[in-house]
């Protein structure tokens, strides 16, 4: 079917408010900003205690917010920088001899050109030691999903494709690769910093059934446990976050009465001045998926359900801010300043987005040509091993018509 360009243009025009943010009433945003100002002038332990009694108020202030009584912790050092060269020089000085680690995956969803589908997950990991000797490692992990992995029988006994399996396996593989990297590099003189391109919270998994939720929770919990056990900080990096945890917190305290909410960055952007400014740390109390973050690792029990913190970091060129999530032990072990400097430095070299995340993403991508090559490899493998390969004529017909 061709694109109906005139109808698409009309629909985009009708919904432009939803894209440009005008859909959020400026007066409502101002109410939240006023409430934020009120909170910082009245913040006290009783308010924190009240939030702790609520089930999921979005967020709870940490000791840092109580002490500073400010939403923003300024990064004044950048105030004198006049060029990106200055950002680069500072960033490279912070990263020297510090190992940063990241992993990212791509996938080939169940291939339906064959009667028995097949899928693929590929995860690339990078460990950059930032040394003069170019201590840099890149590895790839590949998981082939067989028909046994992908197919299930419905209530009537018919074979169906499990459209969640490849996504879940990719997440599990990414977490397992990062866990292994923590174990491998934990003996470095300076603690490595693991940067995961995504949230440490599993809110997205709430839409899945119990078994799938459990697999996501176990994979993330093991990563967090490995981080704690080996003393290697791990952070979740959410670029351009649209979360509403802080505004939900203000609403939970009855400091606003709008019947609406706004995104955290819309409230915060008026408070920042310098590149690298961040918010005070807050404890995450978003939803019940937090309660799933517990596991056993190396014979020890770990529970992170009430031990995840976050801050917003202003390192991009637009109005949005990036969200940095981390386990509480990083603060308790006096590693937070070190970690946030590493994150700022990676974002500085990457011109607003961590360079290591850009690199691992570029290397992990599976293109359309890669998919075709995978199909040919599967055919050749089947022929060499006398595996009967039957084509799905319906899928083939669709592909031919779409060319």
């Amino acid at each position: 079917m061709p694109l109906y360009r005139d109808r698409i243009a009309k629909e985009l025009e009708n919904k432009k408010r939803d894209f440009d943010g005008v859909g959020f009433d400026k007066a409502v945003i101002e109410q939240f900003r006023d409430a934020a100002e009120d909170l910082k002038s009245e913040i006290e332990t009783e308010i924190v205690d009240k939030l702790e009694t609520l089930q999921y108020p979005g967020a709870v202030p940490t000791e840092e917010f109580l002490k500073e009584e400010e939403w923003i912790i300024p990064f004044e050092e950048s105030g004198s920088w006049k060029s990106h060269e200055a950002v680069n020089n500072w960033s490279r000085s912070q990263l020297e001899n510090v190992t940063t680690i990241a992993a990212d995956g791509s996938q080939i969803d169940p291939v339906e050109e064959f009667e028995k589908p097949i899928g693929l997950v590929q995860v690339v990991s990078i460990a950059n030691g930032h040394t003069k000797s170019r201590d840099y490692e890149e590895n790839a992990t590949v998981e082939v999903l067989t028909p046994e992995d992908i197919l299930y029988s419905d209530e009537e006994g018919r074979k169906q494709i499990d459209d969640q399996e490849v996504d879940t396996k990719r997440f599990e593989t990414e977490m397992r690769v990062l866990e292994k990297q923590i174990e491998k590099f934990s003996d470095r003189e300076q603690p490595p910093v693991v940067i995961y391109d995504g949230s440490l919270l599993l809110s997205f998994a709430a839409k899945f059934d119990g078994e799938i939720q459990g697999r996501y929770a176990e994979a993330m919990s093991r990563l967090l446990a490995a981080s704690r056990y080996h003393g290697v900080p791990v952070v979740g990096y959410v670029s351009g976050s649209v979360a509403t945890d802080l505004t939900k917190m203000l609403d939970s305290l009855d400091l606003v009465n709008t019947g609406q909410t706004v995104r955290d960055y819309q409230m915060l952007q008026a408070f920042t001045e310098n590149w690298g400014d961040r918010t005070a740390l807050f404890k995450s109390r978003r939803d019940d998926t937090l309660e799933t973050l517990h596991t056993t690792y190396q014979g020890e029990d770990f529970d992170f359900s009430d031990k995840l913190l976050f801050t917003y970091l202003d390192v991009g060129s637009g109005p949005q801010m990036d969200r940095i999530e981390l386990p509480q032990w990083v603060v308790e072990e006096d590693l937070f300043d070190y970690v946030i400097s590493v994150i700022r430095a990676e974002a500085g070299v990457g011109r607003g987005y961590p360079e290591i995340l850009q690199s691992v993403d570029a290397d992990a991508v599976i293109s359309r040509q890669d998919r075709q090559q995978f199909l040919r490899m599967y055919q050749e493998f089947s022929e060499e091993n006398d595996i009967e390969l039957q084509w799905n004529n319906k899928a083939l017909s669709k592909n031919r018509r779409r060319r």
Side-chain angles (χ1 to χ4, degrees):
M1 181 179 73
L3 283 176
Y4 291 89
R5 298 174 62 89
D6 57 336
R7 298 185 186 182
I8 294 173
K10 183 178 180 180
E11 181 70 359
L12 287 171
E13 181 67 23
N14 289 339
K15 295 185 175 180
K16 68 178 182 179
R17 288 167 61 88
D18 297 331
F19 291 105
D20 65 13
V22 178
F24 290 94
D25 192 318
K26 291 182 179 179
V28 174
I29 294 174
E30 285 300 324
Q31 285 192 48
F32 275 94
R33 288 177 182 166
D34 290 343
E37 292 284 4
D38 291 342
L39 178 64
K40 78 176 186 181
S41 63
E42 300 175 6
I43 188 66
E44 52 190 23
T45 55
E46 286 78 6
I47 291 177
V48 175
D49 291 341
K50 177 182 178 181
L51 287 168
E52 291 283 10
T53 65
L54 301 177
Q55 190 171 22
Y56 299 111
V60 175
T62 65
E63 287 294 329
E64 183 177 50
F65 190 50
L66 289 172
K67 177 183 176 181
E68 299 292 337
E69 295 184 349
E70 292 288 347
W71 285 89
I72 301 299
I73 308 299
F75 184 59
E76 296 175 350
E77 190 167 352
S78 67
S80 61
W81 297 345
K82 303 300 182 184
S83 67
H84 187 70
E85 183 179 3
V87 181
N88 256 340
N89 291 338
W90 177 85
S91 298
R92 296 190 187 285
S93 71
Q94 300 301 304
L95 291 172
E96 187 174 0
N97 297 319
V98 175
T99 301
T100 53
I101 297 168
D104 197 10
S106 288
Q107 65 196 57
I108 295 177
D109 289 323
V111 175
E112 299 183 49
E113 282 88 338
F114 307 116
E115 289 290 343
K116 293 183 177 180
I118 184 172
L120 180 73
V121 166
Q122 176 175 282
V123 175
V124 173
S125 64
I126 290 176
N128 188 349
H130 297 101
T131 62
K132 294 179 180 178
S133 60
R134 298 186 180 277
D135 178 13
Y136 186 96
E137 293 187 18
E138 180 174 329
N139 293 289
T141 299
V142 173
E143 295 271 357
V144 173
L145 284 80
T146 68
E148 185 175 347
D149 298 319
I150 296 171
L151 294 174
Y152 72 97
S153 297
D154 64 15
E155 295 178 354
E156 299 179 4
R158 294 174 299 190
K159 290 292 184 180
Q160 303 286 350
I161 291 177
D162 185 347
D163 57 7
Q164 298 175 3
E165 182 59 32
V166 178
D167 290 328
T168 307
K169 177 63 72 173
R170 171 178 166 177
F171 184 85
E172 290 176 324
T173 305
E174 289 176 350
M175 296 300 101
R176 187 176 73 251
V177 165
L178 288 175
E179 178 188 333
K180 297 299 183 185
Q181 292 293 79
I182 286 173
E183 295 169 350
K184 179 177 180 179
F185 292 99
S186 61
D187 61 351
R188 293 288 169 106
E189 184 176 350
Q190 296 192 73
V193 177
V194 176
I195 308 174
Y196 169 61
D197 191 4
S199 176
L200 302 183
L201 307 179
L202 298 176
S203 300
F204 69 90
K207 62 184 178 182
F208 301 129
D209 62 31
E211 179 185 355
I212 296 296
Q213 281 191 46
R215 288 172 62 183
Y216 277 103
E218 176 64 14
M220 177 59 75
S221 298
R222 283 192 61 85
L223 173 64
L224 293 171
S227 166
R228 181 67 186 101
Y229 183 89
H230 294 284
V232 175
V234 60
V235 302
Y237 194 101
V238 183
S239 178
S241 171
V242 294
T244 58
D245 296 344
L246 295 180
T247 55
K248 181 181 178 182
M249 179 186 72
L250 295 175
D251 193 31
S252 298
L253 290 169
D254 296 323
L255 295 175
V256 290
N257 185 27
T258 66
Q260 301 180 49
T261 190
V262 300
R263 292 166 180 163
D264 291 346
Y265 82 87
Q266 293 176 304
M267 178 186 74
L268 295 167
Q269 65 185 105
F271 302 149
T272 61
E273 295 182 9
N274 304 315
W275 181 95
D277 284 354
R278 67 171 178 89
T279 64
L281 285 161
F282 290 84
K283 182 187 295 185
S284 180
R285 295 299 300 154
R286 179 184 291 175
D287 55 41
D288 62 0
T289 58
L290 284 160
E291 315 307 325
T292 66
L293 295 176
H294 53 82
T295 192
T296 300
Y297 178 83
Q298 299 291 350
E300 294 187 26
D301 293 332
F302 294 89
D303 185 347
F304 297 95
S305 58
D306 196 38
K307 296 180 179 178
L308 289 184
L309 308 179
F310 69 92
T311 180
Y312 286 99
L313 184 65
D314 190 1
V315 289
S317 57
Q320 288 180 268
M321 300 176 71
D322 296 347
R323 179 175 166 125
I324 313 300
E325 299 172 352
L326 65 153
Q328 185 172 304
W329 73 263
V330 175
V331 175
E332 295 170 345
E333 297 293 330
D334 294 325
L335 286 171
F336 177 70
D337 288 342
Y338 166 75
V339 169
I340 202 67
S341 289
V342 170
I343 299 300
R344 281 193 186 105
E346 277 283 354
V349 175
R351 293 178 178 261
Y353 182 64
E355 182 185 46
I356 193 168
L357 294 184
Q358 295 182 45
S359 298
V360 76
D361 174 73
D363 292 344
V365 170
I366 296 176
S367 67
R368 182 179 179 85
Q369 290 75 19
D370 294 331
R371 183 182 187 278
Q372 295 303 318
Q373 184 177 3
F374 174 61
L375 292 184
R376 289 194 294 271
M377 292 176 66
Y378 183 40
Q379 287 178 257
E380 292 169 0
F381 169 80
S382 299
E383 291 170 1
E384 291 171 2
N385 293 275
D386 295 323
I387 298 173
E388 185 178 1
L389 198 64
Q390 295 181 341
W391 293 89
N392 184 326
N393 291 325
K394 181 178 179 180
L396 286 174
S397 176
K398 286 183 178 178
N399 285 340
R400 282 194 294 266
R401 289 199 302 269
R402 289 170 180 167
R403 288 176 183 172

